[in-house]
Amino acid sequence: MTRALSSELPGLDDAEADERLRSEGFNELPRSGHRTPLDVALDVLREPMLTLLLAGGAIYLLLGDLQEALILIVFAGMSVTITLVQEARTERVLEALRDLTSPRALVIREGEKKRIAGREVVRGDIVLLGEGDRVPADARLLESRNLLADESLLTGESMPVRKIAAHASHTAGARPGGDGLPYVYAGSLVVSGSGLGEVIATGPRSEIGRIGQSLHQLETEPPRLRAQTRRLVWLSAAAGGIVSTMAVVLYGLLRGGWLDAFLAGITIGMSMLPEEFPLVLAVFMAMGAWRISQARVLTRRATAIETLGSATVLCTDKTGTLTENRMSVAALRTRSGRALHLREKPHEPFADEFREMVKYGLLASEPEPFDPMEKAFHNLARDRMAGASLSPHWKLVRTYGLRPELLAVTNVWAPLEGSSDVVGAAKGAPEAIAELCHLGPKEVSGVKEAAETMAADGLRVLGVAKVSCPKAALPESPRDLSFEFLGLVGLADPVRPSVPAAVRQCRSAGIRIIMITGDYPATAIAIARQVGLDAEEVLSGRELDNLDYADLARLLRSTGIFARTMPEQKLRIVQALKADGHIVAMTGDGINDAPSLKAANIGIAMGGRGTDVAREASSLVLLDDDFGSIVKAVRLGRRIYDNLRKAMGFIFAVHVPIAGLALLPLIFGLPIIFTPIHIAFLEMIIDPVCSLAFEAETEEKDVMDRHPRPPNDRLFSPALIGWSLLQGTLVLVLVAGVFVSTLQIGMPEDQARAVAFLSLVVSIVSLILVNRTFSASLITAFRSPNPMLAWIVLAVAAIMTLSLSIPSLSALFRFAPLQWDNVTLAVVTGLIALVMLELLKPVWSERLRS
């Protein structure tokens, strides 16, 4: 048995495993998507903004202005550095996420079972494999119990192949796909059964490594948003190129000096190019995945971050998601109708008929259980029947697994001593056990009635049966055995404390919750009422099978609970909901749940009890299997999307006055306000603000009080574009007014430029404050501290102070010293912008938040 064999094989010790990990490397394939710092730098060098900076530096060199040329080159270097830092930060986050997505492996080391990341498995490790596991590395099977493996990833053949335990005649070198072989291969799936194997090859030395297959990797950007931002950047670049060309011609013809004309064209091109969009998107998606992981939810596909805010229906399991998945046997009911409530009489000795039920319930369980229900039988036998166990007295000779047509498990055991007959123990759905026992209609009716009575108390009800027969007489199906019905077992699983509040949040957020469970309707209704779900309409899996497409679609609009369902029925429910226009989030944990998880808009796999194939088909993985974590993820998804819109709106708004002030002098024949150095300086402010400060913003107070946003909602909605243009235009008018009025009163050009530039910087800070929240109150924003923003604003204030007070820096920016009244004018300009925009915000607020 697994237990006996695992105790005989101590496996590697930790020191030896660490040494092999160092010498042979991690159990993973090379990632072609990994970018080195050189790759990042080369990508940055291809960015239009950097090209414009370097072109400006070259022109300054031609003009003989070495200082300004060097400054522009320094700014270009800073742009590369910022991108490298952001890329490194993003890569660290993604690396941590990849570690989490690495399939987990159960190994034996130093005589004890340990669950480790699949990438840490080394040659020589003893791995335990069970149904639903993905094999972490190529291994030679030391034990196989009805093990079937799907090796389609390696062979292209979908039919599972049977695996046997190795013996001396087997030699290494067998290829994947053969039936009756003692080898399992990395990347294959255990479809049924269990086994114990010794790892013989890892990483690139495995079969999957040899044929060059690559493992699935986390997407870093959602395609829809990426397409939108790229389209906008290229449209802006094209428009900027046209305007810049016209500006160069206009400047050269009207003012002369074609090198200065090119500088003016470069300045305008830089001012009109919103090159922050791709950076902001990449940072938000990576940091968003990291933030969601802090809520114990792993983002496997970054598209889920975008879709979370659109979810209209959340289909959830009951056991382990709404409940704690901490089963205990709460009640026993014999065939004769005698009942024992263990919670009321925790110390009452078992009568013989109850002892027999517990004994055969234990025999129908795995020797080393993972399922909480099977653990409950082991715990009860240990606590109330001292010394009751399996391995010392019995040998498992056959298992009849759970099948869709028969919801019961049968284990056949041979006593190690005494009788030559074998003993069969079955447990499962009461109706399935009644079928195995060939009960008459009256008895079946009695079993169903008793099960429904127990289920009404919120218990998960199982039937237990026994059989004895000669070993040679074992049939192909347990239906051909003559089972004796022993009784019913009721298992309790308490509701998670966080679930009722999470359900209320979903209701306020306009998200409908549908419970889909394999339990009895009465049990499902009891749990639904405890957590606050709609328990009026219940549909069973059998009833669902009798519905056509139109009837199912109609009933789905009012039915909140689906009971006694099979995994394939979940797929029908998901497809019907999607066809009705819903954005569906779906939870699942088993191999058969993979189709429904993949079909859902957001597949959510259970990280604790879920199988690898379910996790791979999903978009999100609940690391703690808690329903409350799903709601946290929805809340964070909405916050991330809100903050992304704020950042994009700010970028759009801030480029309006920058571009306008760059064009204004050329149109009206005024002194030039900006040179490439000024634009580069402003970009150094804008980049960290939009990518770091806005990303760190707290959620809107009504984030879970809004209905889900439409799935086809554009990031750059007309409302957001209009609001951004309004903000930018107001700042442009105010700063241009300051510049023109100071020139008209006779202020020197350099001093007027300094006042206008300071006014713009203060107004940019005002734009930041305005865009921190979509609500109508600035006080709300100040009540939500953002340390990152505070540090950025302080840094900007310090740099502006230095650039205005240090003569060498002032000369570089072509600033003249300012008086206090000049500084006051700039601050007042920014305050006017802030107050006016705050007064105008209520007009746009509802549309921006909808």
Side-chain angles (χ1 to χ4, degrees), residues 279-296:
L279 172 68
V280 168
L281 185 60
V283 170
F284 267 70
M285 292 301 105
M287 293 303 297
W290 176 79
R291 287 191 186 279
I292 289 177
S293 74
Q294 302 308 293
R296 307 293 295 160

Side-chain angles (χ1 to χ4, degrees), residues 208-223:
I208 195 172
R210 291 193 187 101
I211 64 177
Q213 297 283 352
S214 61
L215 297 177
H216 178 79
Q217 294 184 23
L218 180 69
E219 295 175 353
T220 58
E221 294 179 345

Side-chain angles (χ1 to χ4, degrees), residues 539-585:
L539 196 68
S540 71
R542 186 167 295 178
E543 292 170 328
L544 190 151
D545 281 339
N546 295 327
L547 296 175
D548 59 22
Y549 178 82
D551 288 337
L552 177 59
R554 176 178 53 80
L555 286 174
L556 272 171
R557 292 167 189 158
S558 58
T559 304
I561 299 174
F562 290 84
R564 309 304 284 166
T565 55
M566 297 298 295
E568 57 268 22
Q569 294 169 331
K570 291 184 180 182
L571 179 60
R572 280 196 70 196
I573 295 171
V574 170
Q575 290 172 333
L577 286 168
K578 289 177 67 178
D580 201 30
H582 288 287
I583 301 299
V584 183

Side-chain angles (χ1 to χ4, degrees), residues 379-390:
N379 292 338
L380 181 63
R382 183 188 65 242
D383 297 340
R384 302 291 292 271
M385 297 168 57
S389 59
L390 300 178

